[in-house]
PDB file of all heavy atoms in Angstrom:
ATOM      1  N   TYR R   1      -0.239   1.094   3.344  1.00  0.00           N
ATOM      2  CA  TYR R   1      -1.596   0.997   3.899  1.00  0.00           C
ATOM      3  C   TYR R   1      -2.620   0.988   2.772  1.00  0.00           C
ATOM      4  O   TYR R   1      -2.381   1.533   1.705  1.00  0.00           O
ATOM      5  CB  TYR R   1      -1.881   2.145   4.870  1.00  0.00           C
ATOM      6  CG  TYR R   1      -1.965   3.506   4.220  1.00  0.00           C
ATOM      7  CD1 TYR R   1      -3.195   4.051   3.867  1.00  0.00           C
ATOM      8  CD2 TYR R   1      -0.820   4.249   3.957  1.00  0.00           C
ATOM      9  CE1 TYR R   1      -3.278   5.294   3.268  1.00  0.00           C
ATOM     10  CE2 TYR R   1      -0.895   5.485   3.368  1.00  0.00           C
ATOM     11  CZ  TYR R   1      -2.124   6.005   3.023  1.00  0.00           C
ATOM     12  OH  TYR R   1      -2.212   7.241   2.418  1.00  0.00           O
ATOM     13  N   ASP R   2      -3.743   0.345   3.038  1.00  0.00           N
ATOM     14  CA  ASP R   2      -4.811   0.369   2.038  1.00  0.00           C
ATOM     15  C   ASP R   2      -5.865   1.373   2.459  1.00  0.00           C
ATOM     16  O   ASP R   2      -6.045   1.668   3.639  1.00  0.00           O
ATOM     17  CB  ASP R   2      -5.407  -1.024   1.829  1.00  0.00           C
ATOM     18  CG  ASP R   2      -6.409  -1.437   2.883  1.00  0.00           C
ATOM     19  OD1 ASP R   2      -6.095  -1.323   4.073  1.00  0.00           O
ATOM     20  OD2 ASP R   2      -7.490  -1.893   2.513  1.00  0.00           O
ATOM     21  N   ASP R   3      -6.536   1.936   1.473  1.00  0.00           N
ATOM     22  CA  ASP R   3      -7.614   2.898   1.704  1.00  0.00           C
ATOM     23  C   ASP R   3      -8.785   2.500   0.820  1.00  0.00           C
ATOM     24  O   ASP R   3      -8.732   2.659  -0.405  1.00  0.00           O
ATOM     25  CB  ASP R   3      -7.151   4.319   1.388  1.00  0.00           C
ATOM     26  CG  ASP R   3      -8.234   5.355   1.661  1.00  0.00           C
ATOM     27  OD1 ASP R   3      -9.362   4.981   2.049  1.00  0.00           O
ATOM     28  OD2 ASP R   3      -7.946   6.550   1.470  1.00  0.00           O
ATOM     29  N   GLN R   4      -9.814   1.948   1.440  1.00  0.00           N
ATOM     30  CA  GLN R   4     -10.981   1.499   0.693  1.00  0.00           C
ATOM     31  C   GLN R   4     -11.771   2.655   0.094  1.00  0.00           C
ATOM     32  O   GLN R   4     -12.462   2.482  -0.901  1.00  0.00           O
ATOM     33  CB  GLN R   4     -11.879   0.650   1.590  1.00  0.00           C
ATOM     34  CG  GLN R   4     -11.249  -0.666   1.975  1.00  0.00           C
ATOM     35  CD  GLN R   4     -10.879  -1.478   0.766  1.00  0.00           C
ATOM     36  OE1 GLN R   4     -11.742  -1.932   0.031  1.00  0.00           O
ATOM     37  NE2 GLN R   4      -9.599  -1.651   0.526  1.00  0.00           N
ATOM     38  N   ASN R   5     -11.680   3.841   0.685  1.00  0.00           N
ATOM     39  CA  ASN R   5     -12.370   5.000   0.108  1.00  0.00           C
ATOM     40  C   ASN R   5     -11.802   5.348  -1.265  1.00  0.00           C
ATOM     41  O   ASN R   5     -12.534   5.773  -2.157  1.00  0.00           O
ATOM     42  CB  ASN R   5     -12.271   6.214   1.031  1.00  0.00           C
ATOM     43  CG  ASN R   5     -13.077   6.026   2.297  1.00  0.00           C
ATOM     44  OD1 ASN R   5     -14.103   5.366   2.303  1.00  0.00           O
ATOM     45  ND2 ASN R   5     -12.596   6.579   3.384  1.00  0.00           N
ATOM     46  N   ALA R   6     -10.513   5.195  -1.438  1.00  0.00           N
ATOM     47  CA  ALA R   6      -9.853   5.485  -2.712  1.00  0.00           C
ATOM     48  C   ALA R   6      -9.627   4.226  -3.552  1.00  0.00           C
ATOM     49  O   ALA R   6      -9.170   4.324  -4.689  1.00  0.00           O
ATOM     50  CB  ALA R   6      -8.511   6.168  -2.456  1.00  0.00           C
ATOM     51  N   ASN R   7      -9.943   3.041  -2.988  1.00  0.00           N
ATOM     52  CA  ASN R   7      -9.702   1.763  -3.666  1.00  0.00           C
ATOM     53  C   ASN R   7      -8.244   1.596  -4.077  1.00  0.00           C
ATOM     54  O   ASN R   7      -7.949   1.181  -5.189  1.00  0.00           O
ATOM     55  CB  ASN R   7     -10.611   1.604  -4.892  1.00  0.00           C
ATOM     56  CG  ASN R   7     -12.049   1.435  -4.504  1.00  0.00           C
ATOM     57  OD1 ASN R   7     -12.363   0.786  -3.522  1.00  0.00           O
ATOM     58  ND2 ASN R   7     -12.935   2.051  -5.270  1.00  0.00           N
ATOM     59  N   LYS R   8      -7.324   1.935  -3.148  1.00  0.00           N
ATOM     60  CA  LYS R   8      -5.905   1.869  -3.469  1.00  0.00           C
ATOM     61  C   LYS R   8      -5.083   1.360  -2.292  1.00  0.00           C
ATOM     62  O   LYS R   8      -5.471   1.498  -1.143  1.00  0.00           O
ATOM     63  CB  LYS R   8      -5.380   3.245  -3.868  1.00  0.00           C
ATOM     64  CG  LYS R   8      -5.976   3.743  -5.172  1.00  0.00           C
ATOM     65  CD  LYS R   8      -5.402   5.068  -5.568  1.00  0.00           C
ATOM     66  CE  LYS R   8      -6.064   5.508  -6.875  1.00  0.00           C
ATOM     67  NZ  LYS R   8      -5.582   6.800  -7.308  1.00  0.00           N
ATOM     68  N   LEU R   9      -3.923   0.812  -2.644  1.00  0.00           N
ATOM     69  CA  LEU R   9      -2.873   0.492  -1.691  1.00  0.00           C
ATOM     70  C   LEU R   9      -1.810   1.568  -1.864  1.00  0.00           C
ATOM     71  O   LEU R   9      -1.406   1.866  -2.985  1.00  0.00           O
ATOM     72  CB  LEU R   9      -2.284  -0.893  -1.987  1.00  0.00           C
ATOM     73  CG  LEU R   9      -1.075  -1.321  -1.163  1.00  0.00           C
ATOM     74  CD1 LEU R   9      -1.429  -1.451   0.310  1.00  0.00           C
ATOM     75  CD2 LEU R   9      -0.510  -2.629  -1.699  1.00  0.00           C
ATOM     76  N   TYR R  10      -1.393   2.175  -0.740  1.00  0.00           N
ATOM     77  CA  TYR R  10      -0.440   3.290  -0.791  1.00  0.00           C
ATOM     78  C   TYR R  10       0.856   2.965  -0.067  1.00  0.00           C
ATOM     79  O   TYR R  10       0.890   2.148   0.847  1.00  0.00           O
ATOM     80  CB  TYR R  10      -1.027   4.528  -0.108  1.00  0.00           C
ATOM     81  CG  TYR R  10      -2.133   5.203  -0.859  1.00  0.00           C
ATOM     82  CD1 TYR R  10      -3.447   5.097  -0.424  1.00  0.00           C
ATOM     83  CD2 TYR R  10      -1.874   5.967  -1.987  1.00  0.00           C
ATOM     84  CE1 TYR R  10      -4.480   5.733  -1.094  1.00  0.00           C
ATOM     85  CE2 TYR R  10      -2.899   6.613  -2.667  1.00  0.00           C
ATOM     86  CZ  TYR R  10      -4.195   6.488  -2.219  1.00  0.00           C
ATOM     87  OH  TYR R  10      -5.216   7.115  -2.883  1.00  0.00           O
ATOM     88  N   GLN R  11       1.890   3.699  -0.462  1.00  0.00           N
ATOM     89  CA  GLN R  11       3.154   3.759   0.255  1.00  0.00           C
ATOM     90  C   GLN R  11       3.360   5.231   0.614  1.00  0.00           C
ATOM     91  O   GLN R  11       3.030   6.117  -0.177  1.00  0.00           O
ATOM     92  CB  GLN R  11       4.310   3.304  -0.639  1.00  0.00           C
ATOM     93  CG  GLN R  11       5.671   3.479   0.007  1.00  0.00           C
ATOM     94  CD  GLN R  11       6.768   3.633  -1.041  1.00  0.00           C
ATOM     95  OE1 GLN R  11       6.855   4.647  -1.699  1.00  0.00           O
ATOM     96  NE2 GLN R  11       7.565   2.604  -1.184  1.00  0.00           N
ATOM     97  N   CYS R  12       3.883   5.486   1.821  1.00  0.00           N
ATOM     98  CA  CYS R  12       4.221   6.848   2.214  1.00  0.00           C
ATOM     99  C   CYS R  12       5.400   6.811   3.179  1.00  0.00           C
ATOM    100  O   CYS R  12       5.817   5.747   3.623  1.00  0.00           O
ATOM    101  CB  CYS R  12       3.026   7.572   2.831  1.00  0.00           C
ATOM    102  SG  CYS R  12       2.492   6.929   4.433  1.00  0.00           S
ATOM    103  N   ASN R  13       5.931   7.971   3.495  1.00  0.00           N
ATOM    104  CA  ASN R  13       6.963   8.080   4.519  1.00  0.00           C
ATOM    105  C   ASN R  13       6.324   7.831   5.880  1.00  0.00           C
ATOM    106  O   ASN R  13       5.096   7.915   6.023  1.00  0.00           O
ATOM    107  CB  ASN R  13       7.614   9.458   4.470  1.00  0.00           C
ATOM    108  CG  ASN R  13       8.307   9.699   3.152  1.00  0.00           C
ATOM    109  OD1 ASN R  13       8.980   8.826   2.625  1.00  0.00           O
ATOM    110  ND2 ASN R  13       8.132  10.885   2.601  1.00  0.00           N
ATOM    111  N   LEU R  14       7.111   7.554   6.892  1.00  0.00           N
ATOM    112  CA  LEU R  14       6.570   7.245   8.215  1.00  0.00           C
ATOM    113  C   LEU R  14       5.818   8.411   8.838  1.00  0.00           C
ATOM    114  O   LEU R  14       5.007   8.221   9.740  1.00  0.00           O
ATOM    115  CB  LEU R  14       7.688   6.773   9.150  1.00  0.00           C
ATOM    116  CG  LEU R  14       8.346   5.447   8.766  1.00  0.00           C
ATOM    117  CD1 LEU R  14       9.428   5.087   9.768  1.00  0.00           C
ATOM    118  CD2 LEU R  14       7.324   4.329   8.644  1.00  0.00           C
ATOM    119  N   ASP R  15       6.035   9.633   8.342  1.00  0.00           N
ATOM    120  CA  ASP R  15       5.292  10.791   8.848  1.00  0.00           C
ATOM    121  C   ASP R  15       4.021  11.055   8.045  1.00  0.00           C
ATOM    122  O   ASP R  15       3.332  12.043   8.266  1.00  0.00           O
ATOM    123  CB  ASP R  15       6.175  12.037   8.879  1.00  0.00           C
ATOM    124  CG  ASP R  15       6.619  12.495   7.505  1.00  0.00           C
ATOM    125  OD1 ASP R  15       6.240  11.878   6.482  1.00  0.00           O
ATOM    126  OD2 ASP R  15       7.373  13.493   7.443  1.00  0.00           O
ATOM    127  N   GLY R  16       3.708  10.191   7.081  1.00  0.00           N
ATOM    128  CA  GLY R  16       2.502  10.324   6.266  1.00  0.00           C
ATOM    129  C   GLY R  16       2.692  11.112   4.985  1.00  0.00           C
ATOM    130  O   GLY R  16       1.795  11.165   4.147  1.00  0.00           O
ATOM    131  N   SER R  17       3.838  11.703   4.791  1.00  0.00           N
ATOM    132  CA  SER R  17       4.098  12.488   3.581  1.00  0.00           C
ATOM    133  C   SER R  17       4.543  11.584   2.436  1.00  0.00           C
ATOM    134  O   SER R  17       4.877  10.422   2.635  1.00  0.00           O
ATOM    135  CB  SER R  17       5.177  13.535   3.859  1.00  0.00           C
ATOM    136  OG  SER R  17       6.428  12.899   4.106  1.00  0.00           O
ATOM    137  N   GLY R  18       4.542  12.140   1.227  1.00  0.00           N
ATOM    138  CA  GLY R  18       5.064  11.418   0.064  1.00  0.00           C
ATOM    139  C   GLY R  18       4.226  10.240  -0.371  1.00  0.00           C
ATOM    140  O   GLY R  18       4.767   9.234  -0.827  1.00  0.00           O
ATOM    141  N   LYS R  19       2.910  10.357  -0.287  1.00  0.00           N
ATOM    142  CA  LYS R  19       2.015   9.254  -0.620  1.00  0.00           C
ATOM    143  C   LYS R  19       2.090   8.894  -2.107  1.00  0.00           C
ATOM    144  O   LYS R  19       2.013   9.767  -2.964  1.00  0.00           O
ATOM    145  CB  LYS R  19       0.590   9.634  -0.241  1.00  0.00           C
ATOM    146  CG  LYS R  19      -0.444   8.578  -0.520  1.00  0.00           C
ATOM    147  CD  LYS R  19      -1.785   8.916   0.079  1.00  0.00           C
ATOM    148  CE  LYS R  19      -2.500   9.989  -0.676  1.00  0.00           C
ATOM    149  NZ  LYS R  19      -3.902  10.164  -0.246  1.00  0.00           N
ATOM    150  N   VAL R  20       2.264   7.588  -2.389  1.00  0.00           N
ATOM    151  CA  VAL R  20       2.322   7.062  -3.746  1.00  0.00           C
ATOM    152  C   VAL R  20       1.393   5.859  -3.830  1.00  0.00           C
ATOM    153  O   VAL R  20       1.435   4.978  -2.962  1.00  0.00           O
ATOM    154  CB  VAL R  20       3.767   6.615  -4.099  1.00  0.00           C
ATOM    155  CG1 VAL R  20       3.813   5.966  -5.473  1.00  0.00           C
ATOM    156  CG2 VAL R  20       4.729   7.774  -4.014  1.00  0.00           C
ATOM    157  N   ALA R  21       0.549   5.790  -4.857  1.00  0.00           N
ATOM    158  CA  ALA R  21      -0.328   4.633  -5.056  1.00  0.00           C
ATOM    159  C   ALA R  21       0.483   3.463  -5.585  1.00  0.00           C
ATOM    160  O   ALA R  21       1.230   3.602  -6.546  1.00  0.00           O
ATOM    161  CB  ALA R  21      -1.453   4.973  -6.010  1.00  0.00           C
ATOM    162  N   ILE R  22       0.348   2.314  -4.930  1.00  0.00           N
ATOM    163  CA  ILE R  22       1.022   1.091  -5.339  1.00  0.00           C
ATOM    164  C   ILE R  22       0.096   0.239  -6.203  1.00  0.00           C
ATOM    165  O   ILE R  22       0.516  -0.365  -7.167  1.00  0.00           O
ATOM    166  CB  ILE R  22       1.464   0.269  -4.090  1.00  0.00           C
ATOM    167  CG1 ILE R  22       2.446   1.068  -3.247  1.00  0.00           C
ATOM    168  CG2 ILE R  22       2.036  -1.077  -4.481  1.00  0.00           C
ATOM    169  CD1 ILE R  22       3.762   1.341  -3.905  1.00  0.00           C
ATOM    170  N   ASP R  23      -1.184   0.213  -5.851  1.00  0.00           N
ATOM    171  CA  ASP R  23      -2.150  -0.611  -6.568  1.00  0.00           C
ATOM    172  C   ASP R  23      -3.522   0.021  -6.449  1.00  0.00           C
ATOM    173  O   ASP R  23      -3.840   0.666  -5.450  1.00  0.00           O
ATOM    174  CB  ASP R  23      -2.183  -2.028  -5.966  1.00  0.00           C
ATOM    175  CG  ASP R  23      -3.160  -2.939  -6.688  1.00  0.00           C
ATOM    176  OD1 ASP R  23      -3.008  -3.105  -7.911  1.00  0.00           O
ATOM    177  OD2 ASP R  23      -4.058  -3.481  -6.040  1.00  0.00           O
ATOM    178  N   SER R  24      -4.329  -0.159  -7.478  1.00  0.00           N
ATOM    179  CA  SER R  24      -5.692   0.377  -7.447  1.00  0.00           C
ATOM    180  C   SER R  24      -6.697  -0.689  -7.839  1.00  0.00           C
ATOM    181  O   SER R  24      -7.636  -0.437  -8.561  1.00  0.00           O
ATOM    182  CB  SER R  24      -5.798   1.583  -8.386  1.00  0.00           C
ATOM    183  OG  SER R  24      -5.454   1.202  -9.705  1.00  0.00           O
ATOM    184  N   ASP R  25      -6.488  -1.885  -7.331  1.00  0.00           N
ATOM    185  CA  ASP R  25      -7.363  -3.009  -7.652  1.00  0.00           C
ATOM    186  C   ASP R  25      -8.706  -2.909  -6.945  1.00  0.00           C
ATOM    187  O   ASP R  25      -9.660  -3.549  -7.345  1.00  0.00           O
ATOM    188  CB  ASP R  25      -6.659  -4.320  -7.294  1.00  0.00           C
ATOM    189  CG  ASP R  25      -7.355  -5.503  -7.914  1.00  0.00           C
ATOM    190  OD1 ASP R  25      -7.123  -5.781  -9.101  1.00  0.00           O
ATOM    191  OD2 ASP R  25      -8.157  -6.135  -7.204  1.00  0.00           O
ATOM    192  N   GLY R  26      -8.785  -2.120  -5.865  1.00  0.00           N
ATOM    193  CA  GLY R  26     -10.046  -1.906  -5.182  1.00  0.00           C
ATOM    194  C   GLY R  26     -10.473  -3.011  -4.244  1.00  0.00           C
ATOM    195  O   GLY R  26     -11.634  -3.098  -3.880  1.00  0.00           O
ATOM    196  N   THR R  27      -9.575  -3.865  -3.828  1.00  0.00           N
ATOM    197  CA  THR R  27      -9.923  -4.946  -2.926  1.00  0.00           C
ATOM    198  C   THR R  27      -9.427  -4.646  -1.519  1.00  0.00           C
ATOM    199  O   THR R  27      -8.489  -3.866  -1.346  1.00  0.00           O
ATOM    200  CB  THR R  27      -9.320  -6.276  -3.421  1.00  0.00           C
ATOM    201  OG1 THR R  27      -9.839  -7.339  -2.629  1.00  0.00           O
ATOM    202  CG2 THR R  27      -7.809  -6.272  -3.340  1.00  0.00           C
ATOM    203  N   ARG R  28     -10.056  -5.235  -0.528  1.00  0.00           N
ATOM    204  CA  ARG R  28      -9.571  -5.077   0.844  1.00  0.00           C
ATOM    205  C   ARG R  28      -8.254  -5.814   1.008  1.00  0.00           C
ATOM    206  O   ARG R  28      -8.162  -6.995   0.694  1.00  0.00           O
ATOM    207  CB  ARG R  28     -10.596  -5.616   1.845  1.00  0.00           C
ATOM    208  CG  ARG R  28     -11.784  -4.708   2.005  1.00  0.00           C
ATOM    209  CD  ARG R  28     -12.723  -5.252   3.041  1.00  0.00           C
ATOM    210  NE  ARG R  28     -13.486  -6.349   2.446  1.00  0.00           N
ATOM    211  CZ  ARG R  28     -14.440  -7.013   3.078  1.00  0.00           C
ATOM    212  NH1 ARG R  28     -14.726  -6.729   4.328  1.00  0.00           N
ATOM    213  NH2 ARG R  28     -15.098  -7.980   2.480  1.00  0.00           N
ATOM    214  N   VAL R  29      -7.260  -5.122   1.494  1.00  0.00           N
ATOM    215  CA  VAL R  29      -5.942  -5.701   1.733  1.00  0.00           C
ATOM    216  C   VAL R  29      -5.855  -6.055   3.209  1.00  0.00           C
ATOM    217  O   VAL R  29      -5.928  -5.177   4.057  1.00  0.00           O
ATOM    218  CB  VAL R  29      -4.818  -4.731   1.343  1.00  0.00           C
ATOM    219  CG1 VAL R  29      -3.461  -5.298   1.734  1.00  0.00           C
ATOM    220  CG2 VAL R  29      -4.875  -4.415  -0.140  1.00  0.00           C
ATOM    221  N   TYR R  30      -5.734  -7.332   3.509  1.00  0.00           N
ATOM    222  CA  TYR R  30      -5.587  -7.771   4.892  1.00  0.00           C
ATOM    223  C   TYR R  30      -4.152  -8.137   5.195  1.00  0.00           C
ATOM    224  O   TYR R  30      -3.654  -7.902   6.267  1.00  0.00           O
ATOM    225  CB  TYR R  30      -6.479  -8.986   5.169  1.00  0.00           C
ATOM    226  CG  TYR R  30      -7.889  -8.642   5.563  1.00  0.00           C
ATOM    227  CD1 TYR R  30      -8.777  -8.130   4.639  1.00  0.00           C
ATOM    228  CD2 TYR R  30      -8.321  -8.837   6.858  1.00  0.00           C
ATOM    229  CE1 TYR R  30     -10.070  -7.831   4.998  1.00  0.00           C
ATOM    230  CE2 TYR R  30      -9.615  -8.540   7.230  1.00  0.00           C
ATOM    231  CZ  TYR R  30     -10.485  -8.035   6.289  1.00  0.00           C
ATOM    232  OH  TYR R  30     -11.766  -7.735   6.647  1.00  0.00           O
ATOM    233  N   GLY R  31      -3.482  -8.764   4.256  1.00  0.00           N
ATOM    234  CA  GLY R  31      -2.129  -9.233   4.498  1.00  0.00           C
ATOM    235  C   GLY R  31      -1.118  -8.546   3.606  1.00  0.00           C
ATOM    236  O   GLY R  31      -1.376  -8.307   2.433  1.00  0.00           O
ATOM    237  N   MET R  32       0.025  -8.194   4.192  1.00  0.00           N
ATOM    238  CA  MET R  32       1.144  -7.634   3.445  1.00  0.00           C
ATOM    239  C   MET R  32       2.429  -8.176   4.040  1.00  0.00           C
ATOM    240  O   MET R  32       2.496  -8.444   5.231  1.00  0.00           O
ATOM    241  CB  MET R  32       1.162  -6.109   3.543  1.00  0.00           C
ATOM    242  CG  MET R  32       0.073  -5.403   2.770  1.00  0.00           C
ATOM    243  SD  MET R  32       0.246  -3.613   2.863  1.00  0.00           S
ATOM    244  CE  MET R  32      -0.752  -3.260   4.310  1.00  0.00           C
ATOM    245  N   ALA R  33       3.440  -8.317   3.193  1.00  0.00           N
ATOM    246  CA  ALA R  33       4.758  -8.743   3.650  1.00  0.00           C
ATOM    247  C   ALA R  33       5.800  -8.177   2.699  1.00  0.00           C
ATOM    248  O   ALA R  33       5.514  -7.936   1.523  1.00  0.00           O
ATOM    249  CB  ALA R  33       4.852 -10.265   3.688  1.00  0.00           C
ATOM    250  N   ILE R  34       7.000  -7.967   3.221  1.00  0.00           N
ATOM    251  CA  ILE R  34       8.086  -7.403   2.427  1.00  0.00           C
ATOM    252  C   ILE R  34       9.238  -8.401   2.371  1.00  0.00           C
ATOM    253  O   ILE R  34       9.611  -8.991   3.386  1.00  0.00           O
ATOM    254  CB  ILE R  34       8.573  -6.071   3.024  1.00  0.00           C
ATOM    255  CG1 ILE R  34       7.466  -5.016   2.884  1.00  0.00           C
ATOM    256  CG2 ILE R  34       9.853  -5.594   2.349  1.00  0.00           C
ATOM    257  CD1 ILE R  34       7.783  -3.699   3.528  1.00  0.00           C
ATOM    258  N   ASP R  35       9.787  -8.560   1.178  1.00  0.00           N
ATOM    259  CA  ASP R  35      11.003  -9.337   0.962  1.00  0.00           C
ATOM    260  C   ASP R  35      12.099  -8.331   0.627  1.00  0.00           C
ATOM    261  O   ASP R  35      12.193  -7.854  -0.505  1.00  0.00           O
ATOM    262  CB  ASP R  35      10.796 -10.328  -0.182  1.00  0.00           C
ATOM    263  CG  ASP R  35      12.024 -11.171  -0.467  1.00  0.00           C
ATOM    264  OD1 ASP R  35      13.121 -10.859   0.069  1.00  0.00           O
ATOM    265  OD2 ASP R  35      11.899 -12.140  -1.240  1.00  0.00           O
ATOM    266  N   HIS R  36      12.899  -7.961   1.634  1.00  0.00           N
ATOM    267  CA  HIS R  36      13.937  -6.951   1.419  1.00  0.00           C
ATOM    268  C   HIS R  36      15.071  -7.456   0.534  1.00  0.00           C
ATOM    269  O   HIS R  36      15.697  -6.664  -0.175  1.00  0.00           O
ATOM    270  CB  HIS R  36      14.482  -6.447   2.759  1.00  0.00           C
ATOM    271  CG  HIS R  36      13.521  -5.560   3.458  1.00  0.00           C
ATOM    272  ND1 HIS R  36      12.807  -5.969   4.555  1.00  0.00           N
ATOM    273  CD2 HIS R  36      13.121  -4.296   3.209  1.00  0.00           C
ATOM    274  CE1 HIS R  36      12.020  -4.997   4.955  1.00  0.00           C
ATOM    275  NE2 HIS R  36      12.190  -3.966   4.150  1.00  0.00           N
ATOM    276  N   ALA R  37      15.333  -8.743   0.534  1.00  0.00           N
ATOM    277  CA  ALA R  37      16.396  -9.287  -0.314  1.00  0.00           C
ATOM    278  C   ALA R  37      16.064  -9.084  -1.798  1.00  0.00           C
ATOM    279  O   ALA R  37      16.949  -8.829  -2.613  1.00  0.00           O
ATOM    280  CB  ALA R  37      16.603 -10.768  -0.018  1.00  0.00           C
ATOM    281  N   GLU R  38      14.779  -9.179  -2.130  1.00  0.00           N
ATOM    282  CA  GLU R  38      14.335  -9.013  -3.520  1.00  0.00           C
ATOM    283  C   GLU R  38      13.711  -7.641  -3.773  1.00  0.00           C
ATOM    284  O   GLU R  38      13.303  -7.357  -4.901  1.00  0.00           O
ATOM    285  CB  GLU R  38      13.330 -10.113  -3.875  1.00  0.00           C
ATOM    286  CG  GLU R  38      13.905 -11.512  -3.794  1.00  0.00           C
ATOM    287  CD  GLU R  38      14.974 -11.762  -4.844  1.00  0.00           C
ATOM    288  OE1 GLU R  38      14.869 -11.217  -5.962  1.00  0.00           O
ATOM    289  OE2 GLU R  38      15.934 -12.503  -4.535  1.00  0.00           O
ATOM    290  N   ASN R  39      13.579  -6.801  -2.709  1.00  0.00           N
ATOM    291  CA  ASN R  39      12.945  -5.477  -2.818  1.00  0.00           C
ATOM    292  C   ASN R  39      11.528  -5.574  -3.382  1.00  0.00           C
ATOM    293  O   ASN R  39      11.149  -4.848  -4.297  1.00  0.00           O
ATOM    294  CB  ASN R  39      13.793  -4.515  -3.650  1.00  0.00           C
ATOM    295  CG  ASN R  39      15.048  -4.130  -2.911  1.00  0.00           C
ATOM    296  OD1 ASN R  39      15.010  -3.787  -1.737  1.00  0.00           O
ATOM    297  ND2 ASN R  39      16.178  -4.209  -3.600  1.00  0.00           N
ATOM    298  N   LYS R  40      10.733  -6.483  -2.790  1.00  0.00           N
ATOM    299  CA  LYS R  40       9.362  -6.718  -3.234  1.00  0.00           C
ATOM    300  C   LYS R  40       8.396  -6.591  -2.065  1.00  0.00           C
ATOM    301  O   LYS R  40       8.727  -6.916  -0.922  1.00  0.00           O
ATOM    302  CB  LYS R  40       9.206  -8.130  -3.824  1.00  0.00           C
ATOM    303  CG  LYS R  40      10.071  -8.430  -5.021  1.00  0.00           C
ATOM    304  CD  LYS R  40       9.542  -7.811  -6.272  1.00  0.00           C
ATOM    305  CE  LYS R  40      10.352  -8.257  -7.475  1.00  0.00           C
ATOM    306  NZ  LYS R  40       9.906  -7.608  -8.700  1.00  0.00           N
TER     307      LYS R  40
END
């Protein structure tokens, strides 16, 4: 999920715990997709 207040894209567990910043570019993230074959 992205958080514009922190200007970051985060990853966390499904219960909201274990938050890790993925990116801090500060832009609104509208689209995301996962490629599980490449783990990207």
Side-chain angles (χ1 to χ4, degrees):
Y1 68 96
D2 80 310
D3 182 357
Q4 292 303 293
N5 291 328
N7 291 322
K8 294 182 181 179
L9 174 64
Y10 288 107
Q11 174 206 71
C12 68
N13 298 318
L14 294 180
D15 65 1
S17 67
K19 181 171 75 170
V20 176
I22 299 294
D23 181 57
S24 59
D25 194 81
T27 188
R28 286 183 283 183
V29 174
Y30 274 71
M32 288 184 269
I34 293 176
D35 180 349
H36 287 106
E38 298 293 326
N39 290 313
K40 300 283 186 183

